[in-house]
């Protein structure tokens, strides 16, 4: 059970830019460490596969704290994205 201060909401099409920006922001340190940071590539890669129904936004005190994506497969669930600010 989640604490009252945490809510999960389904993403909408209008969340695309905001979530793409968050992906770039959260990936930046790791990708810079390995010399592979390309903000445009990270953004475009996310937007090309963005399906709002698969994404849950994590709200903490009504502010976005992160998001995750789960894809349903015939025999399992697949965690496709997990980004926490």
């Amino acid at each position: 059970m989640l604490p009252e201060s945490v809510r999960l909401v389904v993403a909408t099409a209008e969340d695309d830019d905001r979530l793409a920006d968050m992906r770039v922001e959260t990936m930046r340190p790791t990708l810079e460490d390995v010399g592979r940071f390309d903000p445009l590539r990270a953004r475009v890669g996310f937007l090309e596969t963005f399906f709002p129904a698969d994404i849950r936004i994590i709200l903490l005190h009504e502010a976005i704290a992160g998001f995750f994506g789960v894809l349903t497969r015939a025999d399992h669930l697949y965690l496709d994205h997990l980004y926490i600010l």
Side-chain angles (χ1 to χ4, degrees):
M1 179 178 244
L2 296 173
E4 287 183 25
S5 59
V6 177
R7 283 192 319 125
L8 302 177
V9 296
V10 178
T12 67
E14 292 76 29
D15 293 314
D16 61 348
D17 286 329
R18 177 169 53 168
L19 297 181
D21 290 344
M22 183 179 291
R23 179 181 195 239
V24 171
E25 180 181 344
T26 57
M27 291 179 65
R28 180 183 205 115
T30 302
L31 293 176
E32 283 180 340
D33 285 348
V34 295
R36 296 191 56 207
F37 181 65
D38 179 345
L40 182 59
R41 181 173 181 231
R43 183 178 176 72
V44 169
F46 174 77
L47 291 173
E48 286 177 346
T49 61
F50 178 67
F51 297 103
D54 296 332
I55 303 291
R56 298 300 178 269
I57 297 172
I58 304 163
L59 298 176
L60 177 61
H61 300 289
E62 298 306 312
I64 295 180
F67 70 95
F68 63 93
V70 175
L71 306 177
T72 303
R73 300 293 186 232
D75 60 346
H76 67 280
L77 296 175
Y78 178 80
L79 179 62
D80 191 34
H81 299 285
L82 175 60
Y83 301 101
I84 306 291
L85 290 176

